[in-house]
Amino acid sequence: MPETAVQELAYVVYEVGDPADWEHFGVELLGMQLGERFDGGFTLRTDEKAHRWIVTEGPADDLVASGYQVASAEALDRLVAKLAASGAPVAEGSAAEAAARRVERLVRTADPMGNRIELVTGLADAGTPFRSAALLGSFVTGTGGAGHQVLLSKGVERDAYLAFYEGLLGFRISDRIVEELAPGVFADLVFLHCNPRHHSVAFGDMPHPKRTHHFMVEVTDIRDVGRAYDRCMDAEQPFEMTLGMHPNDHMFSFYVRTPSGFSVEYGWGGLLIDDATWQVTTLDHLHSWGHRPPELVHELLGRAPRTNHLPGSEH
């Protein structure tokens, strides 16, 4: 990767209308650990870091910032110079802002869609080990960062956002999926990586009211996907998609709606990329199997069941 590239998606910041519902969703249903409470919100942990999600109270019910970690202060200086030369907005965060994010340094910028980007160094560890009362295993973070997110391109041309993420931040294209969902209606997504995780961010030109379509968390034990699925089902948390698998990152997962309306993908078994051998391809389907909308499943289950007769069952 280029020396100025970001290393990982370190954290996300959401502004939500119902913090109590979100705390229950993150801790009880997803199996995260409550980090710290602060005036107007709280943090959620998925590993040894101080936080991976920052939840603040407010009307947006959407993503408000993405924190990307850079290797060092020197690398951040070079990246800031590159951003400034391109005409991108750049502002150094205050010491208080850095302290609130539990990082050594913070620089703000924005992508062509207007998404707030926080480039940081030195995301701190928490003072206590990570513990989840719900998980059998753990969340997959480490060199892959917090997970991945899929954002909406909002009509911005692909060349414009790739010039920012690929040309300036140093991401690399993993692959692209273009699927015709209906005659003349296409889902068109581009997936980008900055470490071995198949993608840390992806962009799609899809009708969606939010800035973010979903955030993905990955677990080490496949049983935790099923257990989380059951917890969400028992809690009557709305699903976006049932269990299934993607053809590009091979993630076995389901999608559940957050209390703010966008989704969380809860997965296991994601593909890792070796840049020395990886070949960029374009696929024509979003799902290898499953990932069905719940309303379709309800429609199928509502049909008269088919009767299967075993040989001799008539007697």
Side-chain angles (χ1 to χ4, degrees), residues 37-271:
R37 297 188 189 278
F38 55 86
D39 186 22
F42 57 90
T43 64
L44 293 168
R45 295 175 56 193
T46 59
D47 59 8
E48 78 283 356
K49 293 300 179 183
H51 51 243
R52 290 299 193 174
W53 289 16
I54 301 171
V55 179
T56 64
E57 187 172 10
D61 270 320
D62 206 346
L63 176 74
V64 294
S66 302
Y68 290 99
Q69 176 127 313
V70 179
S72 65
E74 294 75 21
L76 182 54
D77 285 339
R78 290 189 289 270
L79 184 50
V80 166
K82 200 173 179 181
L83 287 163
S86 77
V90 181
E92 188 80 27
S94 67
E97 289 173 317
R101 293 289 194 254
R102 300 292 302 276
V103 298
E104 294 173 357
R105 185 180 169 198
L106 183 152
V107 173
R108 294 190 304 276
T109 186
D111 71 11
M113 284 71 71
N115 295 305
R116 177 172 170 172
I117 306 294
E118 297 178 355
L119 302 168
V120 303
T121 58
L123 177 60
D125 288 345
T128 58
F130 172 75
R131 290 192 178 90
S132 170
L135 296 187
L136 299 172
S138 59
F139 289 103
V140 177
T141 55
T143 58
H148 77 234
Q149 59 182 347
V150 174
L151 307 180
L152 283 301
S153 56
K154 299 295 185 183
V156 174
E157 292 294 327
R158 183 180 297 109
D159 287 349
Y161 65 73
L162 287 182
F164 180 85
Y165 282 91
E166 187 180 19
L168 297 176
L169 300 189
F171 281 81
R172 295 185 181 184
I173 296 176
S174 304
D175 43 44
R176 184 180 172 194
I177 297 180
V178 182
E179 179 179 358
E180 188 170 15
L181 303 175
V185 178
F186 292 86
D188 189 346
L189 291 93
V190 178
F191 301 82
L192 303 165
H193 66 279
C194 60
N195 53 54
R197 191 185 289 278
H198 176 272
H199 58 285
S200 289
V201 66
F203 297 94
D205 189 6
M206 303 174 288
H208 197 277
K210 307 290 183 179
R211 291 182 175 273
T212 181
H213 178 271
H214 73 264
F215 189 98
M216 188 284 304
V217 292
E218 185 177 359
V219 289
T220 61
D221 192 320
I222 192 172
R223 294 173 297 174
D224 279 323
V225 177
R227 286 160 61 93
Y229 193 78
D230 281 354
R231 290 195 299 272
C232 292
M233 189 179 298
D234 291 344
E236 299 184 353
Q237 193 71 25
F239 287 86
E240 181 182 0
M241 284 185 271
T242 61
L243 289 163
M245 183 175 285
H246 293 296
N248 58 344
D249 69 352
H250 300 177
M251 190 72 71
F252 168 68
S253 64
F254 67 89
Y255 288 70
V256 63
R257 300 277 188 193
T258 70
S260 292
F262 57 89
S263 293
V264 165
E265 180 184 6
Y266 204 97
W268 171 87
L271 182 71

